[in-house]
Amino acid sequence: MIQGPEPEATRRSAGITESSRASRGWWDRNADDYQIEHGDFLGDDRFVWGPEGLDEAEAALLGPAAGLKGLDVLEIGAGAAQCSRWLAAQGARPVALDLSHRQLQHARRIDQEPGRAPLPLVQADAAFLPFADASFDLACSAYGALPFVADTGRVQREVRRVLRPGGRWVFSVTHPVRWAFPDEPGPEGLTAVSSYFDRTPYVEQDDRGLAVYVEHHRTLGDRVREIAAAGLRLVDLVEPEWPQWNEQEWGGWSPLRGSLLPGTAIFVCVAE
C-alpha cells in the first residue's frame, strides 16, 4: 500500500471543529495499533488511570468499590471500554462514550467473547454529551478526550450538567508540566525546551495544511479554573509516582522520566 507523506508537526491554533475532526480520524486510523500495543497492559476489564499503572481497584478515586453497585456511570473517551467493563463487574451501570467508531468496535469485539454481557456504547463528542441533565451518579475519563478537545471548559460544563448533585467526576490527563519537555522516554526527555505557559496547540497536518492530530495544553491553574467555573469542586489532585514493578515504556512515559517528573495528573471533583 502506498503511504502518503509524513504529517508536518507544528504549533498553531486549532478550533473546536478542526480538533474534533482530526481526533476522530486519528483514532479511527490508529485504534487497531493502539489496542495491539497497549491491550495487554490495559487488559479487557481493568481500570488503569495512566501509564504508571495506578489501578482504580487500589486507588478507589471513584469511591469504595463496594459503593459502586447500582450507580449510573459515564466513561468519557472510553476506547475499548476496559474501565467500563471493570465498573460493570462491581455492579455499576456504565455507559462507554468515545468519538472514535473504530475504538468502539474494539469494545464490541471484547464484549462478544464468551461469558461477557455487551456494554452500552455511544459514539459522541465529549463537548456535546447526548444525555439529559442529571443522568449519572459518576463520570470518569482515563486519558480520554480532554487532551484533544479545544474547549475543555465546555467539557467540564457538560459533565456537570449530566451529573446529579454530589456526583463525582474523576479524570486523568498528561501532567501539564510535561508540555515543557520533549515527548521522549530517554534522557533527551529530561530537559525543558518549551514554555509551560505556551498554550498553542501541537498539530500534525497533512500536505494540504489540514490537521490530522491535535493536542491541547492547559496549565494546572487552567484546569482548576475550568473545574470551578463549571460548578464542580476539586477535592483531590493525584500525581502517581512511577512504581518499581513497571518497567515498560509508553510513548514519552518511562521508568527514567517517571522517577524524576510527574507524568499523570488525576483530578477528583464533586458536582456542587
Side-chain angles (χ1 to χ4, degrees):
M1 183 173 66
I2 299 176
Q3 299 288 339
E6 287 293 316
E8 174 195 9
T10 186
R11 299 283 294 276
R12 66 167 175 80
S13 63
I16 295 173
T17 301
E18 184 179 27
S19 297
S20 179
R21 184 187 299 118
S23 293
R24 182 172 60 250
W26 194 92
W27 283 105
D28 281 346
R29 291 189 304 273
N30 291 278
D32 293 359
D33 290 341
Y34 179 86
Q35 295 298 332
I36 290 171
E37 183 176 359
H38 302 299
D40 288 343
F41 180 79
L42 295 172
D44 289 341
D45 50 10
R46 184 181 173 209
F47 196 135
V48 184
W49 283 109
E52 293 85 1
L54 180 66
D55 201 306
E56 173 60 16
E58 299 175 1
L61 300 181
L62 294 172
L68 298 174
K69 186 175 181 179
L71 298 185
D72 297 309
V73 187
L74 174 62
E75 183 187 4
I76 296 174
Q82 289 95 339
C83 298
S84 285
R85 224 166 270 113
W86 180 86
L87 288 162
Q90 314 312 309
R93 295 189 295 264
V95 174
L97 178 145
D98 202 279
L99 183 65
S100 165
H101 180 255
R102 187 57 180 163
Q103 284 282 58
L104 293 176
Q105 284 184 317
H106 280 284
R108 187 58 74 224
R109 168 184 58 80
I110 296 171
D111 283 347
Q112 290 173 346
E113 295 174 355
R116 293 194 185 277
L119 294 167
L121 306 177
V122 175
Q123 184 181 9
D125 193 309
F128 302 92
L129 298 177
F131 306 105
D133 296 358
S135 296
F136 297 95
D137 300 297
L138 297 172
C140 59
S141 182
Y143 272 82
L146 282 157
F148 313 107
V149 174
D151 187 354
T152 47
R154 181 183 175 90
V155 176
Q156 302 290 352
R157 294 191 298 273
E158 278 288 272
V159 171
R160 174 62 191 89
R161 180 183 65 78
V162 302
L163 275 179
R164 293 166 185 143
R168 183 165 284 217
W169 160 231
V170 185
F171 66 94
S172 63
V173 293
T174 302
H175 198 289
V177 75
R178 285 289 182 94
W179 191 256
F181 296 83
D183 192 25
E184 297 290 342
E188 62 272 28
L190 298 177
T191 301
V193 295
S194 302
S195 170
Y196 168 77
F197 303 102
D198 183 359
R199 280 84 160 179
T200 307
Y202 169 82
V203 177
E204 294 177 4
Q205 59 188 19
D206 61 20
D207 55 1
R208 298 170 296 172
L210 300 177
V212 296
Y213 179 90
V214 180
E215 192 163 338
H216 295 269
H217 169 57
R218 300 290 183 271
T219 67
L220 279 174
D222 293 338
R223 294 284 185 209
V224 172
R225 284 185 288 274
E226 288 180 349
I227 288 166
L232 298 155
R233 177 167 52 89
L234 182 66
V235 297
D236 199 1
L237 173 57
V238 180
E239 301 165 292
E241 295 186 40
W242 195 276
Q244 291 187 347
W245 61 263
N246 189 351
E247 299 179 351
Q248 76 153 8
E249 292 185 357
W250 181 329
W253 290 264
S254 66
L256 172 64
R257 295 186 82 198
S259 66
L260 298 170
L261 293 170
T264 295
I266 310 173
F267 297 80
V268 183
C269 314
V270 173
E272 298 280 20

